[in-house]
């Protein structure tokens, strides 16, 4: 865990990874999200908690759903939000990342939400921001996507209530998935009974056994008796890297269909972090079926991001009072 992720009192200063965080803190994030989840159903979908705060979305990698939910979350907390357009910024004209960062800091920014295709980018930025600024990792390379993992945990808790007796299966490209790494860390921290990963050998990390997961290469035995099924997006460029023969072959072996889902428990829920490649990692009849909670995940993303933003900025205010 990055040494500067928590304050001296153990509160979130930045949110960069699930790794190293304790179970009470993950539970606190979900409890706080539970409080915020009702705001989306109000006529006026706002609370004044972050009024006067400035949050900048620094997305060096394209994303529609993640950026939109971060932006909505910040606005529902009454913060001022700016989406920094990398393609038209001085960064594209040769300005260094740190120069760009310090210029944005000079605008009295309180928080950066960072998405980058390089692992470790969010932590690098967190190491160089001013003490009063928080950094939230919105996905970095193959490393981590902690808010996605927490909205997934929140969704599981809403449906299954107790993590201890659950069997959870994650299907697909575990090797390159920052989502899967953060999910596995969160599931283990919350005490899930059994975590399974299912996929071809070419898409599983060599250190799978050290992650505390059970490895399966076929869907039938991997899905047997599970309570939660998480399918991962398959990056189609993997098809060109000799890691997989073809999309059709992948779907035949690892695509989640109604027939394969029958190996799971009858009340198992189906999740997917999106965006979905229908007919590649999941059949439309399952993605839109009665066991799917995929759209609930999107809704919960707003509440989880409201929780994380409010907790990080609250700890910054407390630290400022101490100093």
């Amino acid at each position: 865990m990055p040494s500067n992720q928590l304050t001296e009192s153990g509160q979130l200063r930045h949110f960069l990874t699930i790794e190293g965080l304790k179970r009470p803190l993950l539970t606190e994030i979900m409890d706080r999200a539970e409080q915020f989840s009702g705001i989306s159903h109000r006529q006026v979908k706002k609370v004044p908690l972050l009024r006067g705060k400035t949050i900048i979305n620094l997305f060096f990698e394209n994303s529609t759903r993640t950026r939109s939910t971060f932006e909505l979350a910040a606005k529902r907390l009454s913060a001022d939000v700016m989406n920094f357009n990398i393609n038209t910024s001085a960064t594209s004209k040769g300005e260094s990342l740190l120069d760009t960062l310090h210029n944005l800091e000079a605008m009295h920014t309180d928080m950066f939400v960072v998405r980058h295709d390089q692992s470790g980018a969010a932590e690098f930025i967190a190491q160089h921001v001013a003490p009063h600024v928080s950094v939230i990792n919105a996905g970095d390379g193959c490393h981590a996507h902690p808010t996605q993992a927490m909205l997934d945990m929140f969704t599981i808790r809403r449906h299954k209530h107790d993590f201890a007796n659950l069997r959870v299966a994650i299907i697909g490209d575990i090797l390159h998935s920052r989502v899967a790494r953060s999910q596995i860390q969160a599931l283990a921290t919350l005490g899930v009974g059994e975590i399974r990963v299912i996929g071809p050998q070419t898409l599983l990390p060599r250190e799978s056994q050290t992650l505390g997961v059970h490895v399966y290469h076929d869907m039938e035995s991997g899905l047997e008796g599970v309570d939660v099924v998480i399918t991962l997006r398959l990056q189609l460029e993997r098809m060109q890297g000799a890691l997989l023969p073809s999309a059709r072959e992948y779907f035949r072996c690892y695509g989640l269909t109604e027939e394969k889902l029958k190996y799971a428990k009858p009340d198992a829920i189906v999740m997917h972090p999106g965006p979905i490649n229908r007919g590649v990692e999941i059949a439309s009849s399952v993605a839109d079926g009665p066991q799917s909670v995929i759209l609930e995940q999107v809704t919960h993303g707003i509440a989880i991001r409201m929780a994380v933003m409010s907790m990080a900025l609250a700890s910054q205010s407390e630290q400022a009072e101490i100093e």
Side-chain angles (χ1 to χ4, degrees), residues 31-316:
D31 290 344
R32 185 73 68 94
E34 199 70 62
Q35 296 170 9
F36 285 131
S37 63
I39 293 173
S40 297
H41 301 289
R42 295 180 184 175
Q43 190 170 6
V44 178
K45 300 178 179 60
K46 277 199 173 191
V47 292
L49 205 59
L50 298 188
R51 181 179 293 163
K53 299 292 186 181
T54 300
I55 297 173
I56 295 183
N57 288 329
L58 277 176
F59 276 55
F60 296 87
E61 188 181 63
N62 290 332
S63 167
T64 302
R65 179 177 30 258
T66 302
R67 194 181 74 174
S68 299
T69 52
F70 266 110
E71 184 176 353
L72 272 177
K75 287 180 175 177
R76 288 182 183 174
L77 292 167
S78 301
D80 296 316
V81 185
M82 185 175 87
N83 292 312
F84 187 72
N85 191 334
I86 302 301
N87 293 328
T88 59
S89 72
T91 305
S92 66
K93 301 174 185 173
E95 184 177 72
S96 74
L97 174 60
L98 287 181
D99 281 339
T100 300
L101 196 67
H102 293 321
N103 275 285
L104 293 171
E105 274 185 353
M107 301 175 195
H108 302 286
T109 302
D110 298 289
M111 174 179 283
F112 291 116
V113 177
V114 178
R115 188 182 184 97
H116 204 289
D117 63 1
Q118 296 297 313
S119 297
E123 184 176 346
F124 175 80
I125 290 174
Q127 289 171 348
H128 291 86
V129 293
H132 67 279
V133 179
S134 288
V135 176
I136 308 296
N137 185 2
D140 63 329
C142 299
H143 173 236
H145 198 344
T147 59
Q148 176 67 47
M150 288 311 303
L151 73 88
D152 295 335
M153 299 306 109
F154 184 74
T155 304
I156 292 171
R157 193 176 78 165
R158 275 281 184 98
H159 284 270
K160 300 298 179 184
H161 309 298
D162 180 15
F163 287 97
N165 297 316
L166 293 183
R167 288 194 185 103
V168 179
I170 305 173
I171 307 166
D173 185 1
I174 312 295
L175 179 64
H176 302 94
S177 176
R178 56 195 175 202
V179 173
R181 289 177 196 282
S182 292
Q183 286 171 337
I184 291 169
Q185 291 163 357
L187 290 166
T189 302
L190 292 169
V192 163
E194 185 176 339
I195 308 169
R196 302 178 182 181
V197 295
I198 308 171
Q201 190 69 49
T202 51
L203 296 182
L204 296 178
R206 291 181 181 177
E207 72 277 16
S208 289
Q209 300 293 351
T210 65
L211 297 175
V213 300
H214 299 268
V215 176
Y216 292 84
H217 297 300
D218 68 283
M219 293 283 274
E220 288 75 12
S221 57
L223 290 175
E224 184 69 41
V226 302
D227 303 276
V228 178
V229 184
I230 302 174
T231 54
L232 299 173
R233 185 175 74 87
L234 188 70
Q235 297 178 44
L236 297 179
E237 57 269 30
R238 307 291 179 223
M239 300 294 177
Q240 302 167 358
L243 295 176
L244 293 169
S246 69
R248 178 179 294 181
E249 182 68 9
Y250 180 84
F251 182 69
R252 187 183 69 79
C253 296
Y254 297 103
L256 186 63
T257 61
E258 291 180 87
E259 290 73 24
K260 292 172 187 165
L261 184 57
K262 289 176 182 174
Y263 288 95
K265 288 183 178 177
D267 64 345
I269 57 173
V270 174
M271 307 173 69
H272 192 301
I276 295 173
N277 292 314
R278 292 173 182 263
V280 178
E281 61 254 6
I282 189 169
S284 287
S285 59
V286 176
D288 302 327
Q291 291 172 260
S292 171
V293 296
I294 294 171
L295 291 180
E296 285 183 45
Q297 291 175 260
V298 179
T299 301
H300 295 160
I302 299 173
I304 282 291
R305 281 151 185 154
M306 290 174 74
V308 170
M309 286 175 166
S310 64
M311 289 169 65
L313 288 180
S315 72
Q316 291 284 28

